[in-house]
Structures are given as structure tokens and as C-alpha cells.
Amino acid sequence: MTHTGPALEILDVSFRYAEGAPLALQAVNAAIPCGQITCVLGPNGSGKSTLLHVLLGLLEPQQGQVRLMGEPFGGYTRRAFSRLVGLVPQDENVTFELNIFQYALLGRAPYLGLLALPREADRIAAQQALQSVGLEELAHRAVPGLSGGEKQLATIARALAQDPQVLLLDEPTSHLDLANQHRILGVLRSLGRQGRTIVCTTHDPNAATAIADRVVLMRAGQVVAQGATQDVMTTELLTSVYGIPVEVIQVRGRPLVLNHLRE
């Protein structure tokens, strides 16, 4: 039966890294709808990456619960969870001389038994993932020799080959130049139009406004606001969260955030 509720539900989640340490997440509540792009936005130290690791099941909250497709995380085996949720980390160090196709094929691991070789269906899935990010013509290039933008696209392809229902990305454009940021955001926007459920963290308001259907705005481990991009990306909210004077204007139907330096 098709799931009709949120893809992910974050219910009163609090987390600290050590006993007595400050809370990295404080009573966070958020809903991630299916088939949309949601950006978790906030300055450095706001709890974005911690929340992403909770959504991956890598960190267990001391309080609260996260549900995936309506089920608590504990209801999934690791293999079943890996078939549903894919990750694109901020920086993935590939030291082996894998080519791009072989690297994308690693995404099929949740579907293979121990020591099993990839099947034709797995190879087709990897090839389709490369096509989705525009790397099919570079399939035989070695991953360690790729540029930053190409390596990020290859990592997205590896996650897409997993065929997850939810794709999580941690600061996907933070280390890239303007042209490669444009390329990555274009791929994510295209995936969103195909009905993919995407969650990405970013500290850059304009990266969020470029692609997001919804924004979860965070500060100091708490959710300040969440909702449709147009509703959350306001001058007042962003000035408060970032602690600097900004102005939000509309350009081609989307918010653009201007940082006004003090005189």
C-alpha cells in the first residue's frame, strides 16, 4: 500500500553528544513530506548535521522518536532501512581506483547478498543513475581524478542507484565553485520534479531558495520555523536567525537573500 503521510516525522527529538554537554537538538518537531525537496537551513552550529545523522539512524536521540514512512526506526532491519534512505555526505574520500560506473554500482549493496556479484538489474540501475546526473559519458573515468563537482555528482549517482525513497544530502554545494553549485542544484531540482523526496542541509539561504519546496529553519538546535519556502524565507526570520541585517526580495518568483553590510 502506498504511504500517504510524511516520509519522515521528527517527534520531540532532543540529543546531546555526552552527558552534561549542551543539547545539540532541543525538542525538535518537523515533518518531511513525500515527493518534495526540503532544505534544513541554518548557520553553522545550528544542529543541521546532527539532525541529519539522527535521520540516518547513526545517532539515537535521548528523547523523542523519528518515523520513516510511518514506522519507528526500530521497525526496520539495517538492510531494509538502507533500501529506503540514501546519503550523499559532504565529502566522501574515495581512495580505490574505482571508475564512476563501479562507484555508482556500490549503491546496489543493500540488494546483494554477502559476496554476491551485481546482476544485470543492478548494472541497469547504476547506468540509469549516471544518466540522471549527466555522467554517463564519463562512466569509465577514475573517481579519485574527478573534479569537485564531478565527484559530488558521482556520489549522488551512487545514492540514486540505491533507489531510495528518501535522499539525504549534507551541505551538497558547500565546497564548490559557482558553476558547480549551479550544476548540482540543477540536478537536485530535476530530481525533485520527478517526485523524489529530498532532504538537504545547507547554511546558504540562496541555495535553499533555489530548489526547496519547504524549509526547516534552525538556530541553536531548535526549529525556528518550517513551511513553504515563500513563507519561511522572510527578511525578519533570516535576520533573526543569522544575526545580521539581510533583505529578502523576489526574483523570478523565488526569494533572493541579500546580505547588507553595515555602514
Side-chain angles (χ1 to χ4, degrees):
M1 186 172 67
T2 303
H3 179 68
T4 57
L8 287 162
E9 295 173 274
I10 304 156
L11 305 171
D12 201 31
V13 164
S14 292
F15 177 83
R16 54 167 48 96
Y17 283 96
E19 188 173 349
L23 284 170
L25 298 174
Q26 302 181 52
V28 170
N29 287 278
I32 308 299
C34 292
Q36 295 187 27
I37 299 178
T38 299
C39 280
V40 181
L41 173 68
N44 292 335
S46 60
K48 303 184 303 296
S49 292
T50 301
L51 180 60
L52 193 77
H53 289 139
V54 169
L55 297 182
L56 280 165
L58 299 178
L59 296 177
E60 185 174 352
Q62 284 88 13
Q63 174 184 306
Q65 184 185 76
V66 182
R67 293 177 183 168
L68 172 64
M69 302 300 173
E71 288 286 332
F73 278 11
Y76 294 97
T77 65
R78 195 66 216 176
R79 178 182 288 266
F81 187 89
S82 296
R83 291 182 179 184
L84 291 172
V85 179
L87 171 66
V88 178
Q90 190 171 149
D91 186 25
E92 188 163 72
N93 188 24
V94 181
T95 56
F96 298 104
E97 286 294 320
L98 296 173
N99 65 37
I100 293 176
F101 178 77
Q102 292 167 332
Y103 181 56
L105 202 54
L106 293 178
R108 300 301 296 169
Y111 300 91
L112 299 174
L114 185 64
L115 302 180
L117 294 175
R119 304 153 299 178
E120 183 63 20
D122 301 312
R123 294 181 176 278
I124 291 172
Q127 186 63 38
Q128 289 174 340
L130 293 181
Q131 291 172 355
S132 294
V133 302
L135 288 182
E136 65 271 26
E137 294 184 4
L138 302 180
H140 298 293
R141 285 268 304 275
V143 173
L146 297 177
S147 69
E150 290 167 341
K151 189 175 293 184
Q152 189 71 315
L153 288 169
T155 307
I156 293 172
R158 191 259 305 141
L160 288 176
Q162 203 172 319
D163 195 25
Q165 293 194 33
V166 179
L167 182 63
L168 305 178
L169 302 99
D170 190 12
E171 298 276 2
T173 62
S174 62
H175 300 308
L176 302 178
D177 61 29
L178 192 60
N180 279 309
Q181 288 180 29
H182 179 81
R183 190 177 180 187
I184 297 297
L185 292 174
V187 167
L188 295 180
R189 186 184 297 169
S190 176
L191 293 171
R193 288 171 178 161
Q194 296 169 22
R196 292 269 183 181
T197 302
I198 296 173
V199 183
C200 66
T201 65
T202 183
H203 62 267
D204 181 356
N206 285 318
T209 61
I211 61 171
D213 300 301
R214 293 177 59 83
V215 171
V216 177
L217 187 59
M218 295 190 68
R219 178 184 60 199
Q222 296 178 302
V223 173
V224 175
Q226 62 180 305
T229 302
Q230 295 280 5
D231 296 334
V232 174
M233 303 298 283
T234 67
T235 296
E236 294 75 19
L237 279 172
L238 294 181
T239 295
S240 172
V241 165
Y242 284 89
I244 58 172
V246 303
E247 181 183 2
V248 179
I249 63 174
Q250 296 295 315
V251 176
R252 297 180 181 177
R254 279 193 173 268
L256 177 68
V257 182
L258 304 179
N259 176 5
H260 292 302
L261 294 176
R262 296 185 186 274
E263 296 295 335

